[in-house]
Amino acid sequence: MGGIAGLYYPSMPKPVDPARVRAMVDAQAHRGPDGAGVWTAPGVGLGHRRLSIIDVEGSPQPMTSADGALTVTYDGEIYNFVALRAELEAHGAVFETSGDTEVLLQAWDVWGPAMLPRLNGMFAVAIHDARRQCLFLARDRLGVKPLHYTTLADGALAFSSELKGLLAHPLLRREPEIRAVEDYLAYGYVPDDTCLVAGVCKLPAGHAMLVERGRTVPLPQRWWNVDFSMRATGSVRDLAAELQALLRDAVTSRMAADVPLGAFLSGGVDSSAVVALMSEASRGAVRTCTIGFEDAGPDARRPAAEVSQRFATAHRERTVTPDNYALIETLVEAFDEPFADASALATYRLCELAREDMTVALSGDGADAAFAGYGRYKVQVAEERVRGLLPPDLRRNVFGALGRHYPEPDWTPRPLRAKTMLLALADDGAEAYARSVGVTTPALRAALFTDAARRTLSGHRAEDRYVTTMRDAPARDALDRAQYADLQHWLPGNVLTRTDRTSMAVGLETRAPLLDHRLVEFAAKLPAGMRLRGGQGKWLMKKALERYLPKDVLYRPDMARTTPTSAWFRGPLADEAAALPRSRVLGGTGWFDPATIARIAADHRNGVAEHGRTLWQFVMLERAMARLFG
């Protein structure tokens, strides 16, 4: 576990300066506070920062095979490494360490790229093979661990866990990418298929890249995908029993650690399920932690305390003020690219608390995307039923006209926005869903950009990636397509990025058992009615957990807390919003219309309109661009 970086010259084996590799990994020291290593050979250099989890005293990285032919650096954990080790020993492999890193070396030696489907874990891995004269890069199925890469001016392929590792190399050109800005303003995060620094790529989840000496750097190749096109058969009872077994194995396999281990506990279904299964498998009390808030809004402390008492966990909680905006600079440094999901503030505080008495924390991340827990799935399915009743032309003419002329103030709560619903019904399902997951609407983005920026964008539209993904999805119905798109974009770009950056910023490893690929594959095959039934998301998952959790936990209404960004921009951050139109950083791009930014800031402050999320996006964008481009 930790942070990785490296350089590889595909054209010829140019010398690699170890100091440059060292600078790239040291920029990520927070990911691996327990040790560092650099290895170089003609044409290649690999670096590692280590967070010791398994085989604490052994398994240093980069690790080289006994014959010197293979060298690996990797970030993550391979949960089935013990079983793989036994299988490899049957092939004649001899091990010198007891951790999972050497298993990767031996697995490459025996199976090559075909090793990837055998791995159950989270990982970003780089393997140099001197015999084959190649560098192999791979990322886990769902994108739990990050990996950035680019080609430098001297021809080197540079890679790093975080963007800041690449930024430490003097040959990286720092120029902003306007398409990433369009995407960020649409979604509140920079998706995995782009980067705010032009020319930098992120290896997509479930993809690998084999870079061979003497050949050009190839495009990444997909090695795993989730398939929603097939349907499982069987009774509710049988499928629930199968799901119970998968859940139990996913949690217990992630409890292996030679350092203190615990769990996040919010009192919701997902984290409570993880804690229940951990308690069943643990000989002692499970460590748990919760963040609470001083104000009277929704608070996780009470439901978390109830679950903690039920399973006799060693529970700790901390109360924080709702004014967490003091963490802005901390988050900007942690994320590198702008990240405007304000829940990252609370996640960072939770990781801080967890790190005080644990090095590994299990979370409930991912179940909403895998088992249809997001409320927007219910809306999408209902709207798609209506769309199916009327011809497309009639829908566009009737609902479109009504939507365009329906009066609706900006401050109307989303569930009550009839105008939004009418316009969604006028469009097709993929277009409507692409807008529903967004933050700043296409119309407002168009107004915020200058004419020059719109020309530079050349028709690039953030929503197109969702539309294309949904239309090409291996899926049967509207729910399948929405979930598939979220697993491709929302999960790695938002959910997993948030957890990775906030946890690694404090040297904490987080594991997401509910994203075990076997669980995700199982969920994708469930009939839609076993994922979403009667307006209840995660339906079969909750049925399977009834033996572990009381119904008031399983079926409690969503208590998701909203970070009060809107109130901040009418209070302590109002002056900061008012200063955005005069920003040297934003103005220097020539991309943004100062008058439009000034108008939305003033309208929000005066209560005329609701623009809190967009203003938060611009504050985070300005801070990130200042750090990245000066």
Side-chain angles (χ1 to χ4, degrees):
M1 189 70 182
I4 67 173
L7 297 169
Y8 183 74
Y9 288 95
S11 59
M12 63 183 69
K14 296 180 181 179
V16 172
D17 183 356
R20 289 196 169 175
V21 180
R22 187 172 296 109
M24 293 170 70
V25 289
D26 284 350
Q28 306 172 88
H30 52 282
R31 296 186 72 91
D34 298 329
V38 171
W39 169 89
T40 61
V44 62
L46 305 179
H48 188 263
R49 291 290 314 201
R50 187 180 187 198
L51 177 62
S52 300
I53 303 296
I54 293 174
D55 192 15
V56 174
E57 299 300 325
S59 300
Q61 292 191 51
M63 179 180 287
T64 300
S65 59
D67 64 0
L70 306 176
T71 304
V72 64
T73 183
Y74 106 101
D75 172 25
E77 300 288 350
I78 307 302
Y79 304 120
N80 63 334
F81 80 95
V82 174
L84 287 175
R85 179 187 178 114
E87 188 175 355
L88 288 163
E89 286 175 333
H91 281 275
V94 177
F95 288 84
E96 297 180 0
T97 64
S98 59
D100 56 352
T101 304
E102 192 177 3
V103 169
L104 287 174
L105 275 180
Q106 300 279 12
W108 173 265
D109 194 36
V110 173
W111 297 309
M115 74 178 188
L116 292 175
R118 298 172 180 266
L119 305 179
N120 181 359
M122 56 177 183
F123 53 85
V125 59
I127 298 175
H128 177 255
D129 189 328
R131 289 188 297 252
R132 306 183 196 184
Q133 287 291 287
C134 66
L135 177 74
F136 182 67
L137 301 176
R139 193 174 176 202
D140 64 68
R141 293 170 176 84
L142 291 154
V144 181
K145 306 310 296 180
L147 190 60
H148 298 70
Y149 69 94
T150 191
T151 299
L152 301 174
D154 66 349
L157 175 70
F159 64 88
S160 174
S161 294
E162 295 183 17
L163 177 58
K164 58 176 56 70
L166 299 181
L167 295 171
H169 198 291
L171 293 183
L172 179 71
R173 294 185 62 186
R174 300 196 187 195
E175 294 182 359
E177 171 57 72
I178 190 172
R179 288 173 297 180
V181 175
E182 152 75 1
D183 299 337
Y184 164 73
L185 291 177
Y187 299 118
Y189 60 92
V190 179
D192 267 16
D193 56 8
T194 189
C195 181
L196 190 59
V197 178
V200 173
C201 302
K202 300 160 190 169
L203 188 65
H207 282 66
M209 190 162 64
L210 183 65
V211 187
E212 298 176 281
R213 181 72 37 76
R215 298 188 178 184
T216 58
V217 176
L219 293 174
Q221 299 297 309
R222 185 186 290 276
W223 65 270
W224 181 85
N225 197 13
V226 60
D227 188 353
F228 282 84
S229 67
M230 297 180 286
R231 289 290 185 261
T233 58
S235 67
V236 170
R237 180 177 179 179
D238 289 344
L239 290 172
E242 185 178 352
L243 179 52
Q244 285 174 0
L246 288 170
L247 287 167
R248 192 179 301 111
D249 188 63
V251 170
T252 55
S253 66
R254 283 158 177 79
M255 292 176 65
D258 297 330
V259 292
L261 174 141
F264 299 149
L265 179 59
S266 69
V269 173
D270 305 334
S271 65
S272 298
V274 171
V275 169
L277 292 164
M278 290 177 72
S279 297
E280 180 184 64
S282 179
R283 294 181 179 178
V286 174
R287 295 180 177 89
T288 56
C289 61
T290 302
I291 286 290
F293 297 87
E294 282 186 355
D295 65 354
D299 196 333
R301 285 175 295 178
R302 182 173 178 179
E306 292 171 356
V307 174
S308 169
Q309 185 176 13
R310 180 181 182 88
F311 296 104
T313 72
H315 190 61
R316 298 172 66 236
E317 64 178 42
R318 179 163 297 160
T319 303
V320 298
T321 67
D323 295 337
N324 267 302
Y325 52 82
L327 280 175
I328 289 176
E329 290 299 337
T330 300
L331 294 184
V332 169
E333 181 178 0
F335 283 84
D336 294 323
E337 294 183 282
F339 188 84
D341 184 340
S343 66
L345 297 160
T347 307
Y348 181 87
R349 291 298 191 201
L350 180 61
C351 291
E352 272 189 325
L353 174 62
R355 190 63 178 91
E356 291 177 2
D357 71 343
M358 60 182 86
T359 310
V360 178
L362 273 62
S363 79
D365 283 346
D368 284 323
F371 288 90
Y374 290 124
R376 59 180 179 255
Y377 296 141
K378 176 183 175 180
V379 175
Q380 178 70 4
V381 169
E383 289 180 348
E384 198 73 339
R385 289 198 188 103
V386 176
R387 291 186 190 100
L389 298 175
L390 297 172
D393 288 345
L394 183 61
R395 280 193 293 104
R396 283 192 289 270
N397 292 333
V398 174
F399 292 129
L402 288 172
R404 285 189 295 273
H405 295 95
Y406 192 92
E408 182 173 273
D410 288 334
W411 45 261
T412 304
R414 285 196 172 197
L416 302 179
R417 291 186 179 183
K419 184 183 186 77
T420 303
M421 180 190 70
L422 290 168
L423 291 174
L425 290 172
D427 222 329
D428 74 21
E431 288 280 358
Y433 192 74
R435 288 196 302 273
S436 76
V437 298
V439 177
T440 299
T441 65
L444 183 53
R445 297 199 311 270
L448 286 163
F449 282 125
T450 62
D451 290 341
R454 288 191 288 271
R455 286 193 298 271
T456 305
L457 281 168
S458 301
H460 174 78
R461 193 176 68 113
E463 287 80 8
D464 286 343
R465 63 170 46 78
Y466 254 89
V467 171
T468 301
T469 300
M470 292 178 73
R471 289 177 179 169
D472 296 342
R476 292 191 177 193
D477 57 32
L479 180 60
D480 293 344
R481 288 188 286 273
Q483 286 187 255
Y484 180 81
D486 279 344
L487 287 169
Q488 302 298 316
H489 303 300
W490 171 264
L491 183 73
N494 182 294
V495 177
L496 297 177
T497 295
R498 180 183 65 229
T499 302
D500 177 80
R501 303 303 192 277
T502 54
S503 61
M504 295 307 290
V506 298
L508 176 75
E509 174 178 312
T510 51
R511 299 175 178 176
L514 303 184
L515 282 177
D516 186 298
H517 70 277
R518 297 166 299 175
L519 274 173
V520 175
E521 291 167 348
F522 174 87
K525 291 182 176 68
L526 288 175
M530 289 193 186
R531 286 173 270 145
L532 178 64
R533 180 179 297 189
Q536 185 74 238
K538 297 184 282 194
W539 186 82
L540 186 70
M541 178 180 169
K542 291 175 181 178
K543 286 291 182 185
L545 290 168
E546 285 182 351
R547 63 169 288 188
Y548 292 100
L549 297 170
K551 291 189 176 181
D552 63 335
V553 172
L554 289 171
Y555 302 103
R556 179 188 291 126
D558 185 15
M559 294 182 63
R561 179 188 175 86
T562 302
T563 305
T565 50
S566 290
W568 291 345
F569 289 116
R570 293 189 179 105
L573 294 184
D575 290 342
E576 184 146 1
L580 287 171
R582 303 186 300 275
S583 165
R584 177 186 60 82
V585 175
L586 297 179
T589 64
W591 293 342
F592 306 106
D593 179 45
T596 303
I597 297 176
R599 175 178 58 80
I600 69 169
D603 286 352
H604 181 85
R605 183 172 188 168
N606 297 328
V608 175
E610 172 53 57
H611 292 304
R613 296 177 75 193
T614 297
L615 291 171
W616 182 253
Q617 283 185 295
F618 268 95
V619 167
M620 300 304 283
L621 176 63
E622 185 204 31
R623 300 291 181 88
M625 291 188 72
R627 293 183 71 93
L628 291 173
F629 309 113

